[in-house]
Amino acid sequence: MAFLGRWRLWTSFLLTQALELPPRFTLDLRKPAHTRWDGAVDLILSKHPYEESFLPVFQEHNKSLFDQLNASHFDALGKAVSSHYPETALELQGIAQQFAARGFPVTFEYLSAWLYFHELAHSDVVQKLDARECTGIVAETADGSIMQLANMDQSPLAARNLTLRISVVDDKGEPLFEGVDWYTLLSTGVSRAVKRGVASVQENWRSTDPVRKLDAIMADIQSGVISQMLVFRRAFETPSISSFEDFVDNVTHTRLAAPFYIVAAGSKPKQGVAIARNLTTSEKTDWFPSDDFYLCQCNTDRWRPDDPEDPRRTAAEALLGRLGREEATAMGLFAVVSAYPVHNPHTAYTAVMSAATGELHAYVREASCPVDPYASVVLDRRYCLKKDPGVLISI
Ligand SMILES: *[C@@H]1O[C@H](CO)[C@@H](O)[C@H](O)[C@H]1NC(C)=O
Ligand SMILES: *[C@@H]1O[C@H](CO)[C@@H](O)[C@H](O)[C@H]1NC(C)=O
Ligand SMILES: *[C@@H]1O[C@H](CO)[C@@H](O)[C@H](O)[C@H]1NC(C)=O
Ligand SMILES: *[C@@H]1O[C@H](CO)[C@@H](O)[C@H](O)[C@H]1NC(C)=O
Ligand SMILES: *[C@@H]1O[C@H](CO)[C@@H](O)[C@H](O)[C@H]1NC(C)=O
C-alpha cells in the first residue's frame, strides 16, 4: 500500500509537470458583469501559488513593457475601457477585486493595460519580448472533417500556469462557445476559441513594420478601437454572426490598433483560412487549399519564406507532408504540434478544436528541449543549442 501510495504521488507529480489540463471556469453571461468571474482567480491560485503564476508574469512584462508607461497612460487606458467597453470594465473591476481580496496589488487600470498588452507590445517603447510565436494548423482529417490545432508560445515560462479553460453560457443558459488562454484573467478575452457550427479561431503575433509609436496606439485605444483579445469573443457573442463566412467577414474588417494573423476553420469541408491582418483589413487572405489537406500559419507572412532563425512553419509543413493525408487524424496532427521546434520551450499550451462538434481540448505543455536537437525536422538554433555543437543549454 505504502509503495502504491508513493507511486501514485510520483506519477501525479510527473503528470502535472509534463502535460496538464488547465482548470475550467464557466462564464455565465446571465450573471452581472461585476461578479461574472468570481472564483476564477482562486481557481488558478489553488493550482499554482501567486509567486509561481501571476507574479513572474507581471514582473517580466512590467520590465518589458508596463514600466515604460506612466500614471497618465494607465489612467487613460482605464478611462478608455470604461467609456467604450463598460461591460468589460465591470468584468475587469470584478477581477481586480478578487486580487485585492487576496492582498495582491492588481488594479483595474493595470488590467486595462493588460487588456491592450498585444497592442502596446507592438509599440516603440517595448524593451524586449521574445517568444512572439504561435503555430496554427487547419487540417482536413482522413474522414474529411476539419480540425484546428493551435500552439500558444509565450514568455515567461510561468505564463503557462495562468492557462484557463472557459465555457461561456449565454443569456438563456445555453452553451455559447469554448475558449482557452493564459491571459484570460488579464483581459476577459480568449485568443483560442470555438463556437459550434460557426468557427474555431486563434490569433498569432504579426510584427508591425515600421513599429508604431506609443502615442499613436494610445490614440487608437482612446478612440475606442477594440482590444485584439475581445475580437473573437465579441463576434461569438453576436447571434447574427451565425456562419463561418459571417465570422470571417467580421474579423477581417474589425479595426485594430496592431496587426495580427487570424487562423480559423469552419464546420464544413474545406472551410479554413489564414488572414494577415493590418489595422483596417486583410493584407492577404489564404483560403484552405483545394488540392492539399492543410494550411499552416506561424509568425511570418505566408507569401514570404520562413525566417531562417524561426523555421517553425517549414518544420510543421515538412512533418505534415511526411504524415500524409492518411495519417491526418487528431492523433497524427497532435504529434505534429508536439514535435520540436513546433513545440518548443515557450509553448504554453496546445488547443485542439473542431467547429463541427464544438469541441475544444487544451493541454498545458512542458518547457522541454530534445536530447538531440540535431535530429529534429529542421535545425532550430534559438533554444536548445549553443554555438558549440552538442551542448545543451538549460532554459
Ligand atoms: C507592475 O506594474 C504595475 C503598474 O506600474 C504595478 O502596479 C505593479 O505593482 C507591478 N507589479 C509587479 C509585480 O512589479
Ligand atoms: C506620461 O508620458 C507622456 C508621454 O508619453 C507625457 O506626455 C505625459 O506628460 C506623462 N505624464 C506624466 C504624469 O508623467
Ligand atoms: C508552475 O507552478 C508550479 C507550482 O504549481 C511550479 O512548480 C512551476 O515551477 C511553475 N512553472 C513555471 C514555469 O514557473
Ligand atoms: C463585428 O461584429 C460586432 C458585434 O456585432 C460589431 O460591433 C462590429 O461592428 C462588426 N464589425 C464588422 C467590421 O463587421
Ligand atoms: C491594409 O491592407 C490593405 C490591402 O493591402 C490596404 O489597402 C490598406 O491600405 C492597408 N491598411 C493599412 C492601415 O495599412
Side-chain angles (χ1 to χ4, degrees):
M1 278 308 278
F3 171 76
L4 196 63
R6 242 190 338 246
W7 184 80
R8 274 209 193 108
L9 202 70
W10 178 233
T11 47
S12 71
F13 170 78
L14 285 178
L15 286 173
T16 27
Q17 294 301 307
L19 183 136
E20 186 177 284
L21 294 177
R24 289 180 80 138
F25 183 77
T26 300
L27 184 70
D28 188 341
L29 299 179
R30 290 169 301 179
K31 293 186 179 164
H34 191 251
T35 58
R36 226 169 249 171
W37 292 93
D38 279 7
V41 171
D42 278 349
L43 198 58
I44 298 289
L45 295 178
S46 67
K47 283 202 101 151
H48 305 292
Y50 187 74
E51 294 68 27
E52 303 197 85
S53 55
F54 294 102
L55 184 64
V57 172
F58 292 156
Q59 282 169 336
E60 165 130 349
H61 293 300
N62 275 6
K63 207 153 35 121
S64 78
L65 174 66
F66 296 121
D67 285 350
Q68 278 47 258
L69 307 186
N70 64 30
S72 345
H73 291 122
F74 284 107
D75 188 55
L77 288 161
K79 288 207 167 80
V81 179
S82 294
S83 69
H84 300 290
Y85 301 93
E87 196 167 325
T88 303
L90 289 170
E91 290 188 15
L92 288 174
Q93 280 158 10
I95 295 170
Q97 272 178 11
Q98 293 177 53
F99 281 109
R102 293 270 160 272
F104 303 124
V106 178
T107 62
F108 160 67
E109 286 75 17
Y110 186 53
L111 291 179
S112 299
W114 266 103
L115 172 62
Y116 283 99
F117 172 68
H118 254 198
E119 288 78 358
L120 298 167
H122 275 84
S123 77
D124 59 343
V125 304
V126 76
Q127 297 297 301
K128 164 189 154 287
L129 259 194
D130 33 284
R132 305 178 184 206
E133 314 167 336
C134 286
T135 298
I137 295 173
V138 174
E140 190 175 69
T141 59
D143 69 1
S145 52
I146 291 279
M147 287 186 70
Q148 179 165 358
L149 290 95
N151 276 2
M152 160 56 90
D153 299 358
Q154 179 66 46
S155 66
L157 297 180
R160 71 199 61 229
N161 278 354
L162 305 190
T163 309
L164 186 68
R165 250 310 287 274
I166 60 166
S167 299
V168 183
V169 165
D170 71 11
D171 51 10
K172 291 177 215 70
E174 299 293 328
L176 189 60
F177 70 92
E178 298 285 320
V180 62
D181 219 341
W182 67 271
Y183 61 149
T184 291
L185 284 180
L186 309 180
S187 67
T188 75
V190 274
S191 75
R192 278 94 180 102
V194 58
K195 182 171 181 179
R196 191 159 77 91
V198 178
S200 60
V201 67
Q202 72 185 97
E203 64 76 36
N204 287 6
W205 177 281
R206 186 174 184 226
S207 296
T208 332
D209 187 26
V211 171
R212 294 191 82 198
K213 292 252 178 271
L214 176 65
D215 287 351
I217 294 177
M218 283 296 296
D220 280 353
I221 295 170
Q222 288 175 275
S223 75
V225 175
I226 194 170
S227 155
Q228 296 191 349
M229 288 300 288
L230 297 178
V231 173
F232 308 149
R233 178 177 167 183
R234 180 175 73 172
F236 282 166
E237 286 182 4
T238 303
S240 60
I241 299 176
S242 58
S243 68
F244 182 64
E245 292 76 12
D246 294 344
F247 179 78
V248 170
D249 182 61
N250 185 273
V251 301
T252 297
H253 299 108
T254 297
R255 192 162 155 222
L256 302 173
F260 65 175
Y261 297 105
I262 299 170
V263 188
S267 56
K268 302 199 186 89
K270 303 278 178 205
Q271 285 185 329
V273 71
I275 308 166
R277 278 294 320 264
N278 65 15
L279 306 188
T280 48
T281 183
S282 165
E283 224 163 288
K284 192 164 184 300
T285 296
D286 283 344
W287 296 96
F288 196 83
S290 55
D291 56 351
D292 215 335
F293 69 99
Y294 62 84
L295 178 67
C296 177
Q297 171 73 64
C298 290
N299 303 85
T300 40
D301 294 333
R302 283 172 35 85
W303 62 93
R304 295 180 212 282
D306 244 356
D307 177 352
E309 289 301 305
D310 177 11
R312 281 171 302 117
R313 174 161 44 99
T314 306
E317 289 178 347
L319 291 166
L320 286 158
R322 279 187 197 173
L323 203 68
R325 195 184 284 268
E326 297 294 295
E327 280 294 325
T329 58
M331 214 181 336
L333 296 166
F334 193 75
V336 170
V337 294
S338 302
Y340 184 78
V342 184
H343 172 202
N344 59 70
H346 285 135
T347 307
Y349 65 83
T350 297
V352 182
M353 304 181 280
S354 159
T357 63
E359 274 170 279
L360 183 151
H361 301 278
Y363 308 100
V364 176
R365 309 305 301 266
E366 69 209 324
S368 55
C369 278
V371 170
D372 180 3
Y374 290 98
S376 58
V377 61
V378 293
L379 187 59
D380 184 303
R381 297 188 170 278
R382 291 167 304 160
Y383 303 125
C384 300
L385 282 177
K386 267 193 174 170
K387 292 240 163 55
D388 183 9
V391 180
L392 294 174
I393 54 159
S394 57
I395 46 120

